[in-house]
């Protein structure tokens, strides 16, 4: 496959993210935790590839989880490619053609689930669903390293802007060519990686709407310690990035961060926090959240929307129940 700048491969999608959001009711609902649901269905994902392992072994479970989130009211399906990288698949002994096929599969499974659900749903004239969108997940470099560095932003002195661009480039090309509606750059920990992807989108002349989401461990800055002002200054200069936000951070950080982002950018704001549970590395178990449960998400989702977030959902440890509550709450008060 050639560079996407060529006439044969350049993506020509021109629908803006604003239009896509309006088409689903003015505030779009993202799905929730993926690995959580795969494990509930019996998948074993204790592996550096994490949920992407199911692209190889159990793709039917991926489609099953997508359908569950659609039934719960999700307007946006995020693909199972967060931890799916060419480097990761090659380390498992797969050929490059197989690795690229698996990336493409992640989009195709979501599209197939979306289309089958929509074809069934639209036969019922009383249905309240909107035709969902598919967002191709592009996890951070730290997600590929599987060492927790997406929560520290410390990639080391050998990781340069060009190295990050080289890491993301071919995966970006393959995912774009697979035909998603949106590109979702997720769990970014620093300004450097945001800059790399902004430049890549320009170099590859990508026309698909995209968002870049950071995480945070203190509720005020990126994990690297860089201010969100510095991070967003890089993104604000690009017309290739339509939205910015936060994912996989505790939900009690979200309200203040929406207010901060509203002052720093005119782009669409996306928020999809985790459940608020804390991973106990010694006991190898999740500790319950002391400040949030599923029902809190309904109340706070309407608050986040009223503060300016246009895309809202859940990340790790949230479930279809969480998304159902968010969807119902936003629909009731819209």
């Amino acid at each position: 496959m050639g560079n996407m700048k060529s006439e044969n491969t350049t993506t020509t999608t021109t629908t803006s993210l604003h239009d896509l959001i309006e088409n689903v009711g003015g505030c779009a609902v993202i799905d929730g935790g993926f690995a959580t649901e795969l494990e509930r269905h019996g998948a074993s994902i204790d592996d550096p590839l994490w949920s992407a392992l199911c692209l190889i072994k159990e793709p039917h479970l991926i489609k099953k989880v997508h359908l569950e989130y659609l039934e719960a009211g999700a307007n946006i399906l995020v693909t199972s490619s967060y931890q799916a990288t060419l480097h990761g698949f090659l380390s498992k002994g797969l050929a490059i053609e197989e690795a690229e096929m698996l990336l493409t599969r992640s989009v195709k499974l979501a599209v197939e689930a979306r289309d089958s659900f929509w074809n069934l749903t639209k036969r019922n004239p009383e249905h309240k669903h909107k035709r969902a969108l598919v967002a191709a997940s592009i996890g951070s470099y730290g997600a590929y390293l599987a060492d927790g560095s997406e929560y520290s932003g410390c990639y080391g002195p050998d990781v340069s802007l060009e190295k990050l661009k080289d890491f993301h480039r071919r995966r970006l090309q393959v995912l774009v060519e697979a035909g998603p509606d949106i590109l979702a750059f997720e769990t970014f920990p620093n300004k450097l990686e945001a800059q790399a992807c902004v430049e890549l989108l320009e170099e590859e002349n990508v026309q698909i709407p995209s968002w870049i989401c950071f995480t945070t461990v203190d509720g005020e800055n990126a994990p690297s310690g860089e201010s969100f002002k510095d991070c967003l200054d890089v993104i604000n200069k690009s017309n290739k990035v339509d939205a910015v936000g936060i994912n996989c951070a505790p939900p009690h950080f979200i309200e203040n961060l929406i207010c901060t982002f509203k002052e720093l950018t005119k782009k669409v704001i996306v928020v999809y926090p985790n459940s608020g549970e804390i991973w106990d590395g010694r006991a190898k178990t999740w500790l319950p959240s002391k400040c949030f449960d599923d029902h809190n998400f309904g109340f706070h989702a309407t608050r986040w929307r009223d503060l300016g977030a246009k895309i809202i959902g859940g990340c790790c440890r949230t479930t279809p129940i969480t998304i159902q509550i968010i969807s119902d709450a936003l629909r009731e008060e819209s």
Side-chain angles (χ1 to χ4, degrees):
M1 298 176 180
N3 185 292
M4 286 188 292
K5 287 185 178 179
S6 71
E7 291 185 4
N8 291 333
T9 56
T10 298
T11 303
T12 57
T13 302
T14 56
T15 306
S16 74
L17 188 61
H18 292 276
D19 290 339
L20 295 175
I21 293 169
E22 286 306 310
N23 289 342
V24 296
C27 185
V29 177
I30 309 176
D31 58 13
F34 211 83
T36 304
E37 288 305 291
L38 288 173
E39 289 183 309
R40 189 171 69 83
H41 289 303
S44 177
I45 56 175
D46 184 13
D47 186 273
L49 287 178
W50 200 36
S51 56
L53 192 64
C54 288
L55 287 168
I56 303 171
K57 295 186 173 183
E58 298 172 296
H60 65 285
L61 291 184
I62 292 174
K63 197 168 181 179
K64 183 179 181 68
V65 172
H66 283 321
L67 287 168
E68 288 175 347
Y69 278 117
L70 289 167
E71 291 166 358
N75 304 127
I76 299 176
L77 293 179
V78 180
T79 65
S80 52
S81 51
Y82 174 78
Q83 206 116 338
T85 65
L86 298 178
H87 303 71
F89 287 136
L90 293 175
S91 72
K92 290 288 184 181
L94 298 176
I96 185 66
E97 295 80 9
E98 294 174 298
E100 292 182 358
M101 179 273 293
L102 290 170
L103 282 174
T104 299
R105 177 181 287 174
S106 70
V107 175
K108 298 303 183 187
L109 288 169
V111 169
E112 288 169 7
R114 184 269 310 277
D115 290 348
S116 63
F117 180 79
W118 180 241
N119 288 335
L120 184 64
T121 300
K122 67 183 180 181
R123 296 175 191 170
N124 178 2
E126 298 182 0
H127 78 87
K128 297 181 180 179
H129 295 278
K130 302 289 186 179
R131 187 174 184 272
L133 307 169
V134 171
S137 173
I138 301 173
S140 65
Y141 181 68
Y144 154 68
L145 296 176
D147 62 358
S149 55
E150 68 265 49
Y151 299 103
S152 71
C154 299
Y155 289 165
D158 296 332
V159 178
S160 64
L161 180 71
E162 290 304 317
K163 181 170 182 175
L164 288 171
K165 287 163 68 173
D166 289 343
F167 170 77
H168 282 293
R169 188 182 303 274
R170 186 58 190 148
R171 176 168 58 158
L172 174 68
Q173 291 174 345
V174 173
L175 288 172
V176 166
E177 290 167 2
D181 302 294
I182 304 167
L183 296 176
F185 296 92
E186 301 188 286
T187 326
F188 275 27
N190 55 40
K191 182 176 73 172
L192 186 67
E193 193 157 22
Q195 177 72 46
C197 289
V198 164
E199 292 187 12
L200 265 183
L201 290 168
E202 187 65 41
E203 291 171 14
E204 299 297 328
N205 194 26
V206 174
Q207 302 298 312
I208 296 173
S210 65
W211 74 60
I212 294 179
C213 281
F214 297 89
T215 189
T216 181
V217 293
D218 63 6
E220 296 182 2
N221 302 290
S224 61
E226 295 164 309
S227 72
F228 281 123
K229 181 184 185 305
D230 287 345
C231 293
L232 294 185
D233 280 348
V234 168
I235 297 171
N236 286 335
K237 296 173 184 176
S238 171
N239 62 7
K240 297 290 187 182
V241 181
D242 302 78
V244 295
I246 296 289
N247 78 289
C248 211
H252 59 275
F253 289 163
I254 298 301
E255 183 170 323
N256 285 339
L257 286 169
I258 293 172
C259 295
T260 298
F261 277 42
K262 284 289 286 184
E263 294 179 356
L264 297 175
T265 187
K266 296 185 185 305
K267 295 185 184 293
V268 171
I269 293 177
V270 188
V271 293
Y272 49 119
N274 57 36
S275 67
E277 295 171 70
I278 299 171
W279 176 250
D280 185 331
R282 291 185 178 180
K284 304 294 184 185
T285 188
W286 288 93
L287 303 177
S289 169
K290 295 182 180 179
C291 57
F292 256 73
D293 59 26
D294 279 327
H295 292 287
N296 288 126
F297 269 94
F299 169 78
H300 286 279
T302 59
R303 175 71 175 157
W304 298 338
R305 180 201 59 199
D306 294 344
L307 287 171
K310 291 287 189 180
I311 304 176
I312 297 170
C315 203
C316 291
R317 303 290 290 179
T318 61
T319 69
I321 294 174
T322 318
I323 300 309
Q324 180 78 63
I325 290 169
I326 291 174
S327 177
D328 288 348
L330 294 175
R331 187 187 304 133
E332 286 172 6
E333 298 197 18
S334 61

